[in-house]
Every structure is written in structure tokens, then in C-alpha cells.
Amino acid sequence: MKQLTSKIYMICCLWAMSQLAFGQSVQFEPVHTKSPFVASSESTMAFADVNGDQAPDLLISTYNGEDCAIKLYTNDGKGNYQNVTRLPFEKLSRSSVAFADVNGDQAPDLLLSGFHAKSFQGITKLYLNNGKGGFAEQKEASLQGVDFGAIAFADVDNDGDQDIFLSGVDAQLKTVARLYINNGKGNFQEAIISVQGLARGAATFADVDGDQLPDLLLTGINAEYVPTAQLYKNRGNGQFTLLKNTPFAGVQGSAAAFADVDNDQDLDVLITGLNKLKQATTILYQNDGLGNFERVENTPFQGTSDGALAFADIDGDRDVDVLITGFDQQQRKIATLYQNQGNGQFTLLKNMPFAGAGLGSIGFADIDNDNDLDVMITGANNNAKPTTQLYKNGNGFNTASLKKPQVAFDQLKVYPVPSLGKVTIEATGFAGTYQLVDLNGQKIAEGKINAVGKTPIALQQRNRVYMLRVTREDGQVFTYKLINK
């Protein structure tokens, strides 16, 4: 059932929250017990609860220079994994995997693509989950095969089901991009799109402008072998328009991930890869809330290519940290963890136990149900040996005496955001005042909040971002980000 709900972009925290540091230590330990996991070199992986027991299971697809393998491991809920035999999955190299419930039965289904040695071309397969971790190929899904590709699920038409996007090289060695629309029952029909196919890159969806539609960031090399990075705005009904004059540097051998790194309730993006000058890069781009991005200078990130990156709150302080693997400029394999200070400023954590890995994957999950995020890293190490290493997180967020910022979710609602000229503050037993300022700090309006009703606020200029500062009677300040479209 289609449901459109206004996404409220709120920073319900102290105005000085961006300066707050919780000081939680970071502790990861490699698991040295005999591992059931296949050693992985050129690999991809994903966690998903395939059998419905509320524990994250693990799929790994890998090529180790001689053999391809695809393995599924079920978790007993305590972080112990067991290999599942007799899988129907194709064994592929240069593979990509993604889980999503495509037919509405609450079980994660599997999308798999990569190079198939027997047919000597890229293939793409969809496997349906029976809810107990048993999979069968959806043979009716006629999906474009791709090599050197990227795949992603997203509800591009906002109808409540997961559609399929893929990009890569077809059997004729042409770059292609394809979009398949889901009818809600796991049956797909190809949609005509104006998206340039890229290879050796990443495809990532995120709602960058707050219109409730997932936009598309695509990186990789184009048909002329030029490193490229393109952002496509979702116009609805599966139609995408290329945005021009974006600041993104073209990259290949790339990885990309969206996250709200600065806690302003919009999605920023981090991109790694080789640029046109063959330089390994890792660049953070900050979003202004309207989908306009700006490159962040002087970050601590080490330039990286042919690896992986993943955001996760590894220390329980309610902001996203980031782990990056791959090759540096000197072709050394690295694995670096950066801790977010709460305002989008990152610090490299030294003396972490992670072994460098290239051409692999990263996956975060609470594998042992202790309320913190553990991590799996795959890829070739600096001795060119395939590795699959699990690291357990020792923080235990459930025991942490973390200081929770005071919020006003239960007393205030601010809507709609984005708006079309007017927002409303709806209060329930909240006594205080408001002040509306622009991003330069200039005061636009101020007044008293109706403690048991609605307070309307006019936003005069279109395509602007405002900050609404709400001060409670006790002096506590809360900040909301408002977007006028």
C-alpha cells in the first residue's frame, strides 16, 4: 500500500550538540577460533536474517584467482556460524550481492550478478527466499546480465516495494544501465531510463533533497573509459534526470555510501576510487538539505581505491563512524577506522586490529546480540592471500552509561519539511519561544510558541534552508532544520 509520510528533518538536540563528545572508547578484537568462513579475495558479502530467527546470517561470494565460491552461513544467535550446503546460487567472479524482500513475504530475497565462466559473460539472477532460508531462482525475472557491475534495490516509484537497478558491462562489452519495476509480488518489468551505464563502480540510492524519492549516485568508468560520478534526481514513476554541475570527482574502482555525518538530518556522501589522474581518493561531500553538495576539505581520510566503505555507529554515541578498506596510492592494502566527533569531523583511530584488505567487502552487524556492531572484512591481504576476518566489538552499548541528549519529540512537532512556504509548530505542554534564522545567522522571525496548539511560521524565500531555534522555559535550546522548496 502506497504511503507518503512527511519526513521531518529535525535536529532535536542541544544547539551545541555538534560539539558534544561522548568519549566512548572503541574496542575491536579479531575472532581467532577456527573460522567456518571461506577465505575471500575478490569478494562481496552481505548480512541478512534469511531464516527469520532475528540473527544476522551471512552470504559471501568470492573469486580467489582459481575458483569461485558462494557460501551462506546461518547464525545461532550467539555469533556462531554454520555453513549451509546445497545452495542453488551461481558461482561468479567480480560479483555483487544484495538482499531485499521483493514479494512482500517478510523474507529477504537475493539478487546476484557477476561474471559467469561457463557462459563467459555477466549474468544477473534473482533468488526468492521461502522464509526459512531456502532459496529458489525466480526464473521469470529476465534481468540484464552485467560484468564489472553494481546492483541496488530501491523503491524508486514510492509504491512500497523494492525495484532493481543494475549497471555494468554486457556480453557485447558495452556499458549498460537497467531499471526494473516491481509489481509488489516480485515480478519485474523493465522501465526506460536515461541513465548512463558505468562499470567498475558503485550504484547507491538516497533521498538527497527530502522529496521522499530515492535519488541515484552512480560512479565508475564510462564507455570511453573515463572515470565518472553522476547524480540523478528521481522525478517519480521511475524517471531520473542527470544533475549538472555537481562537485563529484569522477572515479573508478570506486565505493560510495550515504550517511548523515554532521547530524543535520540530510544525507552526505563519501566516495573512494581512482580519479582521472590515477590518484587514489577518498572525498566527503556535504549536503545542504536541498541536494546541493560541497566538497569538504582537509579531511583525515586516506586516499583509497578498489575497496569498500561502510558507515556505522561503532561506539554508541549516536553518530556514524566509517571504516574504509582498499588500496592506497602505493598499492598497499589498508583498513582504517575513523571516529565521528558528532559534527562531521572525523579522527583516525590508531592501533586498531584490522588487517588491510583490497578488492573485498565490509559488513557491520550485531552478530552476538550484545547490542553493539561487529564487523566482517574480506579481501586480499598484503601478502596477496585471501582473507575473511570477523572482529567483535567490545563496547556493549547496553551497558554504557552514555549521556542521552534531551529531546522534545514528545512535546513538539514541526511540519511539513520540506515545505512550500509555511511550517507549523504543534506543541503539547511545551512552553517556550522560537527564533527563525537563515544559514548566515540572520534573524528572520521570532515569537512565542502556543503551548497547547499550533504556531504557524511563514518562510518567504524558495529553495532556502533555515534553522529554527526553540527555547524551552528552562533555557534548553533545540534546533530544527527547515527546508523551503
Side-chain angles (χ1 to χ4, degrees), residues 282-322:
T282 300
I283 303 175
L284 177 64
Y285 300 90
Q286 211 162 38
N287 188 350
D288 70 354
L290 296 171
N292 304 307
F293 288 85
E294 182 178 358
R295 177 173 175 165
V296 179
E297 303 294 344
N298 302 316
T299 64
F301 304 124
Q302 186 173 2
T304 313
S305 67
D306 292 294
L309 69 92
F311 285 104
D313 180 8
I314 52 94
D315 51 7
D317 63 356
R318 301 171 186 84
D319 55 40
V320 287
D321 313 293
V322 65

Side-chain angles (χ1 to χ4, degrees), residues 90-91 115-121:
E90 294 282 0
K91 297 178 180 180
F115 180 75
H116 187 241
K118 291 182 180 180
S119 60
F120 206 74
Q121 64 181 0

Side-chain angles (χ1 to χ4, degrees), residues 9-11 13 259-268 286-289 342-343 465 467 480-483:
Y9 284 82
M10 297 186 291
I11 316 170
C13 58
D260 180 12
V261 303
D262 49 3
N263 283 316
D264 65 351
Q265 299 301 304
D266 55 40
L267 293 172
D268 314 295
Q286 211 162 38
N287 188 350
D288 70 354
N343 57 355
V465 178
M467 305 305 291
Y480 298 77
K481 182 176 183 179
L482 307 180
I483 302 172

Side-chain angles (χ1 to χ4, degrees), residues 151-163:
I151 59 177
F153 285 107
D155 183 7
V156 301
D157 51 1
N158 208 6
D159 65 350
D161 54 41
Q162 295 294 309
D163 310 300

Side-chain angles (χ1 to χ4, degrees), residues 422-439:
K422 185 179 76 172
V423 297
T424 298
I425 302 175
E426 185 174 345
T428 304
F430 184 97
T433 60
Y434 73 87
Q435 185 180 78
L436 181 69
V437 300
D438 63 19
L439 292 184

Side-chain angles (χ1 to χ4, degrees), residues 18 35 48 51 54 81 103 109 125 130 150 162 165 185 257 266 283 303 328 336 351 397 409 414 429 440 444 455 474:
S18 64
S35 171
N51 53 8
Q54 309 304 311
Y81 283 86
N103 54 3
D109 309 299
K125 299 284 187 180
N130 66 4
Q162 295 294 309
F165 176 83
K185 299 179 181 180
D266 55 40
I283 303 175
D328 68 8
T336 50
N351 302 316
F397 303 157
F409 284 128
V414 180
N440 294 319
I444 306 299
T455 305
D474 61 2

